[in-house]
């Protein structure tokens, strides 16, 4: 039996989000835990760089480059990024085979637990990350895009893009590699994930049908629960 857990990146002042997640996941048999260690008041700035040469180096590798001057990281975004790293460390410390990483605007499909169990029992043999959300408005239809190859119920991303950090499965080995190679951070978390996946030649998959929607994104339709994203 594989060891796993659901981790939720959570900003404590957003109490309604935790109440919703608790009300849903507490009715399942799935183990979950909130990760709340990083706030805007305890950011480790040594992880970050504003050196344009670092940006150019990463831009030369990633499939989602960011032009100089087009992104200025705020404290909330920095805190969010570092909380993902805290979760990777927990995956390693707890010797989990994999985890599902969620951000706290996650809204679940009704049959989430059933779909979750189907997914973890049918992962591709070579997977490193599997994205489980609807992503943002830039996410293509993975079932029809030429940039994806079907593998059972999974769709391999040839461009190794994330489009989101809102809901993704990650292996322990990928957690280790991400931690070893992320410094210095120059992008938002989803862009850093795409960079790392390109750098490491990861096997990146998307679900054809999301099991989680981003509740703070209008493109989520009926799952649009919280209004536009708020700062951590």
């Amino acid at each position: 039996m594989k060891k796993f857990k659901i981790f939720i990146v959570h900003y404590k002042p957003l109490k309604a989000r935790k109440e919703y997640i608790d009300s849903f996941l507490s009715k399942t048999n799935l183990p979950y835990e909130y990760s709340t260690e990083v706030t805007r008041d305890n950011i480790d700035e040594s992880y970050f760089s504003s050196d344009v040469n670092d940006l150019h180096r990463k831009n030369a590798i990633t499939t989602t480059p960011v032009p100089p001057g087009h992104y200025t990281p705020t404290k909330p975004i920095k805190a969010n990024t570092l909380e993902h790293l805290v979760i990777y460390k927990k995956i390693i410390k707890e010797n989990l085979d994999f985890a599902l990483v969620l951000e706290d605007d996650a809204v679940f499909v009704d049959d989430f637990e059933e779909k979750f169990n189907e997914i973890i029992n049918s992962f591709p043999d070579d997977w490193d990350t599997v994205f489980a959300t609807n992503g943002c408005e830039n996410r293509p239809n993975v079932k029809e895009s030429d940039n994806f190859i079907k593998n059972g119920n999974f769709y391999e991303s040839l461009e190794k893009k994330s489009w989101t950090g809102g809901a993704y499965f990650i292996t322990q080995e990928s957690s280790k590699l991400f931690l070893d190679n992320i410094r210095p951070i120059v992008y938002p978390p989803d862009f850093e994930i795409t960079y790392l996946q390109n750098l490491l030649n990861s096997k990146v998959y998307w679900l054809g049908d999301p099991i989680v929607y981003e509740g703070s994104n209008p493109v989520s339709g009926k799952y649009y629960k919280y209004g536009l994203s708020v700062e951590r």
Side-chain angles (χ1 to χ4, degrees), residues 31 52 67 76 171 178 213-214 221:
V52 71
T171 64
F178 280 20
Y213 284 79
E214 296 180 347

Side-chain angles (χ1 to χ4, degrees), residues 168-202:
Y168 60 99
F169 293 91
I170 185 169
T171 64
Q172 181 183 146
E173 181 59 26
S174 290
S175 298
K176 292 175 181 175
L177 291 170
F178 280 20
L179 287 170
D180 288 344
N181 289 279
I182 196 169
R183 288 175 183 261
I185 296 170
V186 300
Y187 299 134
D190 50 340
F191 283 69
E192 286 291 348
I193 292 170
T194 295
Y195 160 75
L196 289 164
Q197 291 172 160
N198 278 273
L199 174 71
L200 299 167
N201 197 29
S202 303

Side-chain angles (χ1 to χ4, degrees), residues 152-166:
N153 294 320
F154 302 83
Y155 293 78
E156 181 182 355
S157 171
L158 300 180
E159 296 179 308
K160 305 187 186 299
K161 290 183 178 180
S162 71
W163 283 291
T164 177

